[in-house]
Amino acid sequence: TCKVNFPDPNKLHYFQLTVIPDECYYQGGKFQFEIEVPDAYNMVPPKVKCLTRIWHPNITETGEICL
């Protein structure tokens, strides 16, 4: 299950995503991400930050996504 929240309705390029898995290892968890899509999107990737403290090999302790 995913939910999208736009804190500022005038900034559609900035939003927060909440993911609540129905199955798998993370079932029952609630994970929040902050997403900012730059004006140069397509040539520049979106900036994604995990706001929920989690141990994952692709997420740093401060929430930056490393892909």
Side-chain angles (χ1 to χ4, degrees):
T1 304
C2 296
K3 296 179 183 177
V4 177
N5 176 38
F6 293 92
D8 183 347
N10 296 316
K11 295 182 180 179
L12 296 179
H13 64 281
Y14 172 78
F15 56 95
Q16 295 173 341
L17 175 69
T18 302
V19 179
I20 304 170
D22 295 330
E23 54 187 65
C24 81
Y25 180 78
Y26 295 104
Q27 179 180 0
K30 182 177 180 182
F31 307 96
Q32 295 182 324
F33 297 87
E34 179 179 81
I35 302 168
E36 185 173 355
V37 181
D39 290 335
Y41 177 68
N42 238 6
M43 301 308 269
V44 178
K47 294 179 183 177
V48 180
K49 183 174 183 177
C50 183
L51 301 176
T52 305
R53 188 174 170 111
I54 182 175
W55 185 91
H56 190 280
N58 291 342
I59 301 176
T60 68
E61 288 185 21
T62 57
E64 283 78 26
I65 309 294
C66 309
L67 295 177

